[in-house]
């Protein structure tokens, strides 16, 4: 199984949507200068890509650098967010 396919499977198991998964994997392959770059590369509607970027940013899986370029961060951030949520729910 290819590494991207394995990662996709793990991200889906972690609760990411197909759309978030697609956007994240695409950013792992190559950062994007703008969200519109991702629209062109994924073929998804603009609003869908923006929502996905917002969601992935909230999970600390995507960030913008000082020049505005979008980059994928480590999937470890997702694991940390899931653990944080579980601890919060347990209180």
């Amino acid at each position: 199984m290819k590494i991207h396919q394995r990662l996709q499977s793990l991200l889906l198991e972690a609760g990411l949507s197909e759309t978030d998964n697609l956007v994240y994997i695409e950013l792992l392959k190559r950062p994007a200068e703008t969200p519109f770059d991702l629209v062109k590369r994924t073929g998804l509607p603009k609003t869908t890509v923006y929502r996905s970027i917002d969601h992935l940013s909230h999970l600390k899986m995507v960030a913008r650098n000082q020049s505005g370029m979008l980059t994928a961060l480590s999937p470890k951030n997702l694991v940390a967010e899931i653990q944080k949520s579980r601890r919060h729910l347990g209180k």
Side-chain angles (χ1 to χ4, degrees), residues 12-23:
L12 288 171
E13 287 177 31
L16 256 60
S17 70
E18 290 277 346
T19 301
D20 289 345
N21 213 328
L22 178 62
V23 169

Side-chain angles (χ1 to χ4, degrees), residues 21-50:
N21 213 328
L22 178 62
V23 169
Y24 183 70
I25 297 291
E26 195 60 40
L27 283 172
L28 279 175
K29 291 178 187 175
R30 192 176 80 229
E33 290 187 25
T34 65
F36 190 69
D37 288 342
L38 285 173
V39 170
K40 290 190 292 187
R41 287 166 33 192
T42 62
L44 296 170
K46 183 171 68 171
T47 55
T48 302
V49 170
Y50 276 91

Side-chain angles (χ1 to χ4, degrees), residues 5 7 9-10 14 18 20-21 23 35 43 45 48 51 56 59-60 66-67 70 78 84-85 88:
Q5 290 172 330
L7 180 58
S9 176
L10 290 171
E18 290 277 346
D20 289 345
N21 213 328
V23 169
T48 302
R51 261 183 273 152
L56 292 167
L59 294 172
K60 297 178 178 74
Q66 291 178 342
S67 65
L70 290 162
L78 175 62
K84 182 177 160 184
S85 294
H88 182 69

Side-chain angles (χ1 to χ4, degrees), residues 59 79-90:
L59 294 172
V79 172
E81 284 298 308
I82 289 170
Q83 290 172 340
K84 182 177 160 184
S85 294
R86 285 182 179 162
R87 280 193 304 273
H88 182 69
L89 290 173

